[in-house]
């Protein structure tokens, strides 16, 4: 059984993340979306709101239960991968800037526990979307509906 882990903050879960989840599901028997909680990052949505929005999206898109959501506990990502029997992590690359950020983490995870990283190039039509920019546009009163699954839009409306 091949399990891939798609880790991230997902604050909020975007159409870019959804595309990655769908494509990762085509490569593996199961995909675990691991939602990280970084207490030093001022988040918009709570962990519970993010998890619920992702679960609703996976249901609506027919990806559940092969794609499921778990909280990523504090600690090493590779320990989580080992615990659930995942050999590899999936990350999206929108640009070379993303690769500069991702490469050291991928090398470290390989060094620590032989956990590989599978990089998927973000679809060009989604490459402008990041959770941080969505949060900024939303905070400044701009439209974000066409960058998010409807469950994430609803979660933002309730904030
Ligand atoms: O969506 P993000 O915020 O870019 O996700 C970052 C994440 C959760 C993938 C990253 O912070 C992470 O892997 N955290 C786990 C901590 C860890 O294992 N660090 C050491 C090896 S790089």
């Amino acid at each position: 059984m091949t399990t891939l882990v798609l880790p991230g903050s997902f604050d909020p879960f975007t159409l870019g993340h959804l595309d990655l989840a769908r494509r990762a599901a085509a490569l593996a028997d199961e995909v675990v979306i691991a939602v990280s909680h970084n207490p030093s990052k001022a988040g918009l949505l709570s962990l519970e709101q993010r998890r619920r929005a992702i679960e609703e999206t996976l249901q609506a898109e027919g990806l559940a239960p092969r794609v499921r959501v778990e909280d990523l506990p504090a600690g090493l990502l590779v320990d989580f991968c080992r615990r659930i029997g995942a050999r590899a992590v999936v990350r999206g690359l929108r640009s070379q800037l993303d690769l500069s950020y991702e490469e050291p983490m991928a090398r470290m995870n390989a060094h620590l526990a032989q956990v590989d990283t599978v990089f998927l190039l973000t679809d060009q039509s989604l490459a402008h979307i990041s959770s941080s920019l969505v949060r900024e546009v939303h905070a400044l009163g701009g439209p974000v509906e066409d960058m998010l699954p409807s469950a994430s839009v609803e979660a933002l409306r309730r904030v």
Side-chain angles (χ1 to χ4, degrees):
M1 166 120 133
T2 311
T3 303
L4 292 176
V5 171
L6 177 57
S9 312
F10 307 114
D11 186 23
F13 189 75
T14 68
L15 290 183
H17 295 136
L18 175 58
D19 186 53
L20 284 181
R22 193 180 284 121
R23 289 162 63 196
L27 301 173
D29 298 306
E30 67 168 7
V31 176
V32 176
I33 297 181
V35 186
S36 79
H37 173 62
N38 184 346
S40 63
K41 261 194 195 174
L44 178 62
L45 299 174
S46 69
L47 196 57
E48 174 60 27
Q49 287 168 321
R50 284 181 266 157
R51 194 193 315 112
R52 198 171 321 133
I54 300 170
E55 276 165 359
E56 280 174 31
T57 304
L58 297 178
Q59 286 290 343
E61 296 292 325
L63 290 169
R66 218 152 59 77
V67 183
R68 62 187 163 84
V69 188
E70 285 200 28
D71 293 342
L72 182 63
L76 290 174
L77 177 61
V78 292
D79 287 342
F80 176 80
C81 291
R82 236 189 312 235
R83 182 162 63 72
I84 68 165
R87 259 281 286 125
V89 166
V90 178
R91 296 285 283 174
L93 293 180
R94 287 163 301 198
S95 67
Q96 295 195 358
L97 268 185
D98 278 351
L99 183 59
S100 317
Y101 171 68
E102 296 293 336
E103 182 184 346
M105 295 198 292
R107 291 194 187 285
M108 183 57 75
N109 290 334
H111 168 80
L112 290 172
Q114 293 79 51
V115 168
D116 273 320
T117 301
V118 177
F119 289 115
L120 297 179
L121 266 190
T122 304
D123 188 277
Q124 191 65 50
S125 66
L126 303 170
H128 59 293
I129 303 175
S130 68
S131 295
S132 57
L133 282 181
V134 166
R135 288 199 302 275
E136 183 172 334
V137 171
H138 176 70
L140 297 172
V144 293
E145 291 76 9
D146 59 353
M147 295 185 271
L148 301 175
S150 53
S152 292
V153 175
E154 280 310 308
L156 285 190
R157 278 203 185 116
R158 285 193 290 263
V159 172

